Amino acid sequence: MGVKLLLEKAHVEGIRSYEVYRREGGYRSVEKAIKTMGPEAIVEEVKKSGLRGRGGAGFPAGMKWSFIAKPEGVPRHLVCNADESEPGTFKDRYLMEFIPHLLIEGLIVSSFALGSNNTYIYIRGEYAWIVDILEQAIGEAKANGFLGKNILGSGFDCEIHVQRGAGAYICGEETALIESLEGKRGNPRIKPPFPAIQGVWQRPTVVNNVETLAAVVPIINMGGEEYAKIGVGKSTGTKLMSACGNINKPGVYEIDMTISVEEFIYSDEYCGGIANGKRLKACIPGGSSVPILPANLLLKTAKGETRYMNYESLSDGGFATGSMMGSGGFIVLDEDQCVVKNTYTFARFYRHESCGQCSPCREGTGWMEKLLYRLEKGQGKSSDIDLLWDIQRKIEGNTICPLGDAAAWPVAAAIRHFRDEFEWHVTHAAEAQTRNFGLAHYADPIHVPTTV
Amino acid sequence: MTKFSETQLTEFNRLVARYPEGKQKSALLPVLHLAQDSFGGWLSSETMDYVAELLRIAPIEVYEVATFYSMYNLKPVGKYMFEVCQTGPCMLRGSDDIVAYIGEKLSIKPGETTADGLFTLKTVECLGACGYAPMMQLGKHYREHLTKEKVDAIIDECRKTAAANN
Amino acid sequence: MSEQPLFKVTIDNITIEVPAGTTILNAARKIGGDVAPPAMCYYSKLQGSGGKCRTCLVEVSKGSEKDPRPMPKLVASCRTTVMDGMEVKNITSPKVLDARAGVVEFLLLNHPLDCPVCDQAGECHLQDLSYEHGKEGTRYEFQRRTFKKHNIGPYIQLHMTRCILCYRCVFVADQLTAKREHGILDRGDHSEIATMIEKSLESDFIGNVIDVCPVGALTDKTFRFKNRVWFLKPMDAHRDCPTCSGKVTLWNRGDEVFRVTARKDEWGEVENTEDGKPAWICNTCRFEKKQTSDWVIEGPRMISRQSVISQGHYAGNIGMHKPNETFSAVHGGRQPKLMMDIHTASEVNKPNIELSLINGPAHSTDFNSKKD
Ligand SMILES: Cc1cc2nc3c(=O)[nH]c(=O)nc-3n(C[C@H](O)[C@H](O)[C@H](O)COP(=O)(O)O)c2cc1C
Ligand code: SF4
Ligand code: SF4
Ligand code: FES
Ligand code: FES
């Protein structure tokens, strides 16, 4: 059993209620932080922990906190990003649904550290019932003196408000989220200025993911240095993985980042192997926007070394032969799945979710979707594959926000690793409508060039 | 007449009070949810103009937002809206079959409403339930691990509630 | 105001000094000519504009004297400020030209290419851009986007299919009028300019959306199809207007005023008046004053020589404004491409049709090849 820091208590009967949560040791970190540490000491502790943002970009949380501007007399805000809309990702929902007080506790400590008297949780609109769960938890925390005026006699006031989105993946991007919080369309802002200087209502703002903020609780309780000892290298602490697709046990798992990908997929503690006794074909290890890998490159790196479930190992080999940890949405495809079709659904998703502000993303995502649809339906041409490559190349890096990249990468990686499956849809168009390409050679051991 | 009741107005005031003075526009998304729930499950021009007036903003600012987000219905919808996710992870676990089955059973295509106004079928993109696929949203809640049998049961359940409420 | 420090910036091998806070685009415009990146959405007189179309992307090969690292991605020059010692590549960067060709292709993807019947033809920035950066033909084999038609009142015509969503008109409505009535609805590739209920755009200054629109999406209804701009003589004129500066350009044929617009500079933007404020014009001047007697004529308008408009009438030296020609300096003596000859691009502009022989105002149907 790996270490569990976030979900250890998630299944204790009644943990959703304040009484049980408190009895199990909840809100200790608030007492410790407010009574024995100051805001600077908390930021220092988070820095020492090496905690990296769990929303997808993996930016060091402590460093982000230290960037926040502190102009005299201007309120600052902490905003919790609970928009969770990246296909394959459902970990934040799990945490909020089953152990809501953990997030509230993390938010109180973080608000204190950043000096945010009004903190907002921006939650995706579809998670409507979770709004009630969170508001209930906030009410209980307030009734017990952990929120409201003069928390624990410290003179620090804090309110947490839950703001519901209304259906837009782009509002997970932090500046789009801020716009949406201001009651506007979710158009990402053009940076600079960065939120740490001018965020919501032009005030200094920090946006962090649910899991990031929840992880502040164990960091304060055990100390940053202890936290950093868990995991490996720059992948400190534990990570929530949302596992889905063709596996026996889809769900949310907390891992310390030392286990191998193979163990994660096949051990009974986690995914429990591929469903229906089938073989593994491919996997998107970090949410829909990260590169897809064929089975052989997933379990081992191009150098023939074991691949592990952490930031560094998953990205070993760069985009040529590696992928990314992303938001931890682990999507598994068995031997009977079609990579072209899967890529098509992603392209459709990004076209649907593009805000439409900048031309490469607005126009390019729709074009890729149409080409992929046609290829999948056996109506494509082999030049379509090169065209797709050229389109994704012209979107990537040329847009306002990373949604453009997120739309381009899955297409690029699918073509890079599964080009023969794409071509088969052209050369065997009729057959492609009756069966799938299958596993082909995608799980064959890869040739590792021996270097002296 | 489109107007919030006393209790709805109390909720409106609670929502607006969460934001700084003069930033009442920030309450627009939650207020639109409230309006949609209060006035028949969709947002008419009249409703949107009313929201604009309440929040003291220009009507266009409301239209811009209402048309941007996928959860606001700008046309009347069936009493029960089946929003079936069709993105990759759900597709891998057979969401296409579920969409086809519902369509067959209710004789409607995605985007359509049954003649009796009871059911609307809609395909949507990832709802954050990928591990519990295939799934759909029905009202405020998710229905997960869908099978044909489960779909049958859900349709029956809706018909019964509708009959009981008539 | 305190002295602004001056920053040295080198763009396409030409070094100039600009005040701190200047954007790369504005620095490049100071150099002028082809060194200035094309800008389809940025408009210096509209706060918050820019960053969206991505035609102005440039490569920053050296960040600054202090931090010489290059920027990892191409940046939007209209929204990136210069640093001291920064080095920028625009037309000297193959990466930029490649990306820009991509952006132009994206912008044209759903564009109807109905230039022959478009009132903006000849003054369209997208037409210029595609001529300079685009490729022959399209690789897009799908149906183009269509929209429901919206009537937005008696003065302004909206052709949504031509819109490139630059948001300039939205900024005009926000910043120049008391109450914004139109905006961007829907999202992604279905976004459109509209008011939900067909409300006419009523505000003294709303007519300026026509002048800022880089394409033919918003045009003057009082002018539509009456004439092609390059057959008209632009004249600077003014009147004593209680609402605006009254300084305009009249577009005449003979003594007849066909159209009234604001005066535009070489970047296609509304000029500033002496007090440094943009000379936006009011609806009365634009739509109601169509008699020469309403105006005091100042003389022929200076038109950038690169514009197709200048082909029509001032073929000599009168009124010709010579743009800075730096292109050859940075590009080994290569001359700028010729100005676009509209006759090769447009069905309706047969050189054999002599405008003066047409009775009354010319309509697009007069140019229809079937009538040849
Ligand atoms: C298109 C897009 C969607 C995103 N969606 C989310 C999301 O749903 N949840 C999230 O926490 N971060 C999301 N992010 C990342 C945020 O912009 C931001 O980096 C993150 O909230 C920062 O929190 P962290 O540092 O704690 O990870 C998204 C980014 C992009 C570009
Ligand atoms: S990249 Fe896409 S989502 Fe991001 S700002 Fe541009 S159009 Fe909007
Ligand atoms: S109508 Fe014209 S000005 Fe307005 S967004 Fe479209 S292209 Fe830009
Ligand atoms: S893909 Fe269907 S819920 Fe995520
Ligand atoms: S002009 Fe700079 S992005 Fe449009």
Side-chain angles (χ1 to χ4, degrees):
Chain A
M1 273 291 273
V3 190
K4 304 268 182 286
L5 300 177
L6 302 177
L7 300 184
E8 190 189 356
K9 301 274 165 61
H11 297 290
V12 173
E13 177 78 25
I15 196 76
R16 236 188 231 171
S17 75
Y18 173 80
E19 285 74 33
V20 179
Y21 182 76
R22 178 78 173 143
R23 194 181 66 219
E24 293 288 330
Y27 290 101
R28 269 185 300 140
S29 73
V30 179
E31 291 167 320
K32 180 170 175 186
I34 290 188
K35 289 188 182 149
T36 69
M37 304 166 74
E40 288 81 27
I42 301 171
V43 176
E44 225 20 69
E45 227 38 61
V46 173
K47 272 191 185 162
K48 273 191 232 157
S49 75
L51 173 68
R52 294 168 67 167
R54 304 293 197 226
F59 192 82
M63 188 147 33
K64 188 177 203 166
W65 287 11
S66 63
F67 291 156
I68 191 168
K70 294 183 176 167
E72 201 57 44
V74 183
R76 302 185 283 277
H77 295 285
L78 169 65
V79 179
C80 170
N81 188 342
D83 193 57
E84 188 166 73
S85 311
E86 171 111 342
T89 314
F90 47 98
K91 63 180 177 80
D92 297 339
R93 163 191 171 185
Y94 191 91
L95 196 147
M96 294 187 288
E97 197 170 353
F98 293 105
I99 184 160
H101 280 285
L102 183 68
L103 174 61
I104 305 303
E105 182 176 352
L107 278 172
I108 299 168
V109 175
S110 310
S111 299
F112 178 65
L114 292 162
S116 166
N117 302 114
N118 280 286
T119 291
Y120 296 84
I121 302 176
Y122 184 95
I123 186 166
R124 70 175 296 173
E126 292 88 347
Y127 287 171
W129 74 98
I130 302 180
V131 174
D132 300 340
I133 296 175
L134 290 171
E135 286 188 338
Q136 165 102 27
I138 291 166
E140 290 171 350
K142 195 166 172 177
N144 287 282
F146 285 105
L147 274 173
K149 293 238 171 301
N150 192 18
I151 297 170
L152 305 181
S154 61
F156 174 64
D157 304 338
C158 184
E159 297 286 347
I160 298 177
H161 315 278
V162 186
Q163 162 102 334
R164 217 176 129 200
Y169 165 65
I170 189 58
C171 292
E173 194 281 335
E174 56 184 5
T175 58
L177 186 151
I178 288 170
E179 287 281 295
S180 185
L181 192 53
E182 292 184 359
K184 302 181 193 152
R185 297 161 63 84
N187 284 353
R189 292 181 179 171
I190 293 147
K191 300 188 231 185
F194 288 91
I197 315 291
Q198 282 178 18
V200 64
W201 308 302
Q202 305 302 313
R203 300 168 176 179
T205 304
V206 163
V207 180
N208 272 132
N209 174 256
V210 170
E211 187 188 343
T212 314
L213 292 164
V216 171
V217 174
I219 290 171
I220 295 306
N221 281 336
M222 67 201 290
E225 264 164 46
E226 281 304 306
Y227 183 90
K229 284 183 191 155
I230 302 164
V232 55
K234 285 190 179 147
S235 302
T236 62
T238 61
K239 174 89 192 80
L240 297 184
M241 297 298 299
S242 324
C244 61
N246 310 115
I247 46 177
N248 278 317
K249 290 171 54 195
V252 176
Y253 299 101
E254 182 169 8
I255 58 167
D256 66 39
M257 290 180 268
T258 56
I259 62 169
S260 71
V261 176
E262 188 163 0
E263 181 184 350
F264 185 68
I265 294 179
Y266 291 100
S267 94
D268 276 338
E269 194 183 337
Y270 305 109
C271 305
I274 309 300
N276 306 314
K278 292 188 182 173
R279 289 169 299 172
L280 170 71
K281 175 176 181 177
C283 173
I284 300 134
S288 60
S289 50
V290 312
I292 186 172
L293 288 177
N296 48 15
L297 279 174
L298 176 73
L299 302 179
K300 288 209 172 4
T301 67
K303 287 175 260 165
E305 291 160 358
T306 305
R307 205 185 279 282
Y308 291 93
M309 297 287 291
N310 61 49
Y311 289 92
E312 293 84 356
S313 186
L314 283 174
S315 57
D316 187 291
F319 276 11
T321 59
S323 185
M324 272 158 66
M325 172 65 99
S327 57
F330 197 84
I331 309 166
V332 177
L333 282 73
D334 70 31
E335 57 186 306
D336 287 330
Q337 300 301 336
C338 173
V339 170
V340 179
K341 178 152 192 198
N342 192 64
T343 312
Y344 158 66
T345 74
F346 286 175
R348 185 186 58 210
F349 173 83
Y350 289 110
R351 192 264 305 145
H352 187 255
E353 302 300 338
S354 162
C355 83
Q357 262 193 113
C358 55
S359 20
C361 171
R362 177 182 67 238
E363 306 294 343
T365 51
W367 196 2
M368 294 199 299
E369 180 201 357
K370 292 190 179 78
L371 287 167
L372 281 159
Y373 179 80
R374 161 160 115 181
L375 280 166
E376 204 271 316
K377 288 277 175 260
Q379 296 151 5
K381 305 182 276 193
S382 70
S383 62
D384 287 352
I385 304 168
D386 296 323
L387 182 53
L388 272 173
W389 184 267
D390 197 46
I391 299 170
Q392 68 79 20
R393 190 177 67 79
K394 292 212 163 102
I395 299 174
E396 193 206 343
N398 292 336
T399 55
I400 295 175
C401 87
L403 188 137
D405 303 343
W409 293 340
V411 175
I415 297 178
R416 186 181 300 121
H417 300 299
F418 297 88
R419 191 170 181 118
D420 31 10
E421 186 163 351
F422 280 82
E423 276 164 2
W424 180 78
H425 277 77
V426 177
T427 54
H428 296 70
E431 196 183 345
Q433 298 313 297
T434 60
R435 73 169 184 95
N436 280 329
F437 191 60
L439 183 61
H441 52 87
Y442 297 126
D444 295 353
I446 30 169
H447 172 71
V448 184
T450 39
T451 42
V452 201
Chain B
M1 220 4 231
T2 312
K3 264 216 153 74
F4 281 146
S5 67
E6 275 305 314
T7 26
Q8 288 158 348
L9 273 179
T10 314
E11 175 63 4
F12 170 84
N13 288 326
R14 183 185 81 92
L15 293 171
V16 171
R18 305 195 300 204
Y19 309 98
E21 277 285 319
K23 303 292 180 195
Q24 78 283 355
K25 182 180 175 179
S26 303
L28 182 51
L29 270 73
V31 170
L32 282 176
H33 279 304
L34 179 67
Q36 177 157 302
D37 293 344
S38 310
F39 305 121
W42 70 294
L43 298 170
S44 63
S45 308
E46 202 193 0
T47 306
M48 290 190 274
D49 289 347
Y50 175 61
V51 167
E53 190 193 309
L54 279 180
L55 287 173
R56 302 190 306 279
I57 55 180
I60 185 69
E61 297 179 72
V62 180
Y63 310 153
E64 282 177 328
V65 165
T67 55
F68 186 89
Y69 297 93
S70 63
M71 289 183 76
Y72 300 125
N73 302 314
L74 303 172
K75 279 190 274 192
V77 291
K79 206 169 161 84
Y80 301 100
M81 184 150 66
F82 291 172
E83 299 180 87
V84 187
C85 170
Q86 55 167 357
T87 315
C90 278
M91 182 277 292
L92 295 173
R93 295 190 76 101
S95 59
D96 291 359
D97 295 341
I98 296 293
V99 174
Y101 183 70
I102 298 175
E104 213 174 285
K105 197 151 164 162
L106 298 174
S107 306
I108 45 173
K109 287 203 269 302
E112 292 177 352
T113 302
T114 51
D116 59 6
L118 218 46
F119 298 102
T120 299
L121 173 61
K122 203 173 153 191
T123 51
V124 297
E125 303 293 347
C126 181
L127 294 180
C130 327
Y132 322 113
M135 63 80 65
M136 68 164 155
Q137 178 158 29
L138 175 56
K140 199 173 173 180
H141 293 276
Y142 285 5
R143 302 300 176 97
E144 298 168 336
H145 297 295
L146 292 179
T147 57
K148 288 182 183 174
E149 294 71 43
K150 267 200 189 169
V151 168
D152 289 343
I154 292 169
I155 292 176
D156 281 347
E157 172 199 320
C158 293
R159 288 219 165 100
K160 280 204 193 100
T161 346
N165 290 344
N166 266 344
Chain C
M1 250 183 41
S2 63
E3 280 278 296
Q4 286 266 20
L6 286 180
F7 281 176
K8 223 181 231 153
V9 53
T10 305
I11 309 174
D12 284 341
N13 306 323
I14 299 172
T15 304
I16 54 161
E17 286 197 332
V18 292
T22 308
T23 58
I24 298 176
L25 182 84
N26 282 331
R29 281 185 174 180
K30 281 205 176 151
I31 299 173
D34 292 292
V35 170
M40 296 293 288
C41 68
Y42 171 75
Y43 203 91
S44 67
K45 278 107 190 162
L46 294 172
Q47 240 196 351
S49 67
K52 300 190 198 298
C53 70
R54 319 305 283 176
T55 55
C56 71
L57 291 175
V58 294
E59 180 182 343
V60 176
S61 48
K62 178 180 170 191
S64 68
E65 211 51 69
K66 274 201 211 111
D67 182 359
R69 285 176 303 173
M71 293 195 183
K73 292 190 201 173
L74 302 183
V75 299
S77 59
C78 65
R79 293 292 294 252
T80 311
T81 47
V82 298
M83 291 299 189
D84 200 22
M86 184 185 262
E87 284 173 19
V88 178
K89 289 180 175 174
N90 177 29
I91 50 176
T92 50
S93 160
K95 259 209 288 195
V96 168
L97 296 180
D98 180 52
R100 195 169 289 154
V103 172
V104 173
E105 185 172 25
F106 288 134
L107 284 174
L108 289 173
L109 216 55
N110 275 296
H111 194 80
L113 297 174
D114 56 351
C115 314
V117 295
C118 176
D119 274 341
Q120 193 88 352
E123 319 177 277
C124 174
H125 293 246
L126 187 58
Q127 209 176 31
D128 297 349
L129 189 70
S130 58
Y131 182 71
E132 281 171 36
H133 303 276
K135 294 205 187 86
E136 292 270 320
T138 175
R139 299 186 287 174
Y140 190 67
E141 299 172 332
F142 303 92
Q143 208 166 17
R144 294 206 167 84
R145 222 179 3 244
T146 54
F147 295 92
K148 252 207 304 218
K149 279 217 160 58
H150 285 279
N151 185 345
I152 57 169
Y155 293 125
I156 304 171
Q157 178 71 34
L158 171 64
H159 278 280
M160 192 50 222
T161 48
R162 297 175 188 155
C163 171
I164 59 156
L165 291 166
C166 69
Y167 282 64
R168 284 180 183 176
C169 59
V170 181
F171 288 116
V172 165
D174 248 351
Q175 293 165 29
L176 262 58
T177 71
K179 185 175 171 208
R180 183 158 66 88
E181 301 276 17
H182 86 286
I184 309 244
L185 300 185
D186 224 305
R187 79 171 178 222
D189 59 358
H190 290 288
S191 308
E192 60 175 311
I193 300 284
T195 58
M196 199 72 161
I197 29 179
E198 273 65 34
K199 236 181 217 170
S200 63
L201 303 158
E202 300 160 352
S203 155
D204 276 345
F205 281 89
I206 194 65
N208 289 292
V209 296
I210 296 168
D211 282 336
V212 301
C213 184
V215 293
L218 292 167
T219 51
D220 186 337
K221 238 187 201 171
T222 64
F223 170 68
R224 276 194 81 220
F225 290 126
K226 284 218 184 99
N227 223 313
R228 309 296 292 189
V229 282
W230 55 90
F231 293 122
L232 298 174
K233 292 174 200 169
M235 309 286 265
D236 278 350
H238 65 263
R239 65 181 273 270
D240 203 9
C241 177
T243 320
C244 70
S245 69
K247 292 188 165 56
V248 303
T249 300
L250 300 182
W251 298 76
N252 290 3
R253 190 162 63 85
D255 274 346
E256 212 180 334
V257 177
F258 275 78
R259 187 173 71 149
V260 183
T261 66
R263 298 181 185 175
K264 299 201 192 161
D265 64 18
E266 59 181 316
W267 312 112
E269 292 191 5
V270 170
E271 265 182 13
N272 283 342
T273 51
E274 296 84 50
D275 61 2
K277 293 211 186 86
W280 305 111
I281 64 170
C282 70
N283 289 358
T284 312
C285 285
R286 184 186 303 273
F287 300 121
E288 313 284 352
K289 302 289 170 192
K290 296 288 176 80
Q291 305 293 321
T292 326
S293 57
D294 293 330
W295 300 96
V296 182
I297 310 280
E298 295 168 18
R301 174 89 194 135
M302 314 271 269
I303 296 284
S304 158
R305 193 154 65 89
Q306 281 171 331
S307 159
V308 288
I309 301 164
S310 62
Q311 287 199 129
H313 281 269
Y314 303 102
N317 285 329
I318 338 152
M320 191 85 96
H321 171 78
K322 198 172 182 313
N324 283 327
E325 277 173 13
T326 40
F327 190 93
S328 53
V330 294
H331 247 211
R334 195 152 71 80
Q335 285 305 310
K337 288 176 193 140
L338 286 174
M339 36 195 179
M340 186 172 183
D341 179 359
I342 198 78
H343 299 306
T344 61
S346 164
E347 265 261 286
V348 298
N349 303 291
K350 301 294 174 196
N352 54 340
I353 295 177
E354 178 50 62
L355 196 70
S356 54
L357 298 179
I358 295 171
N359 229 342
H363 293 266
S364 61
T365 47
D366 294 319
F367 298 93
N368 209 310
S369 50
K370 285 175 202 87
K371 282 181 142 190
D372 268 20

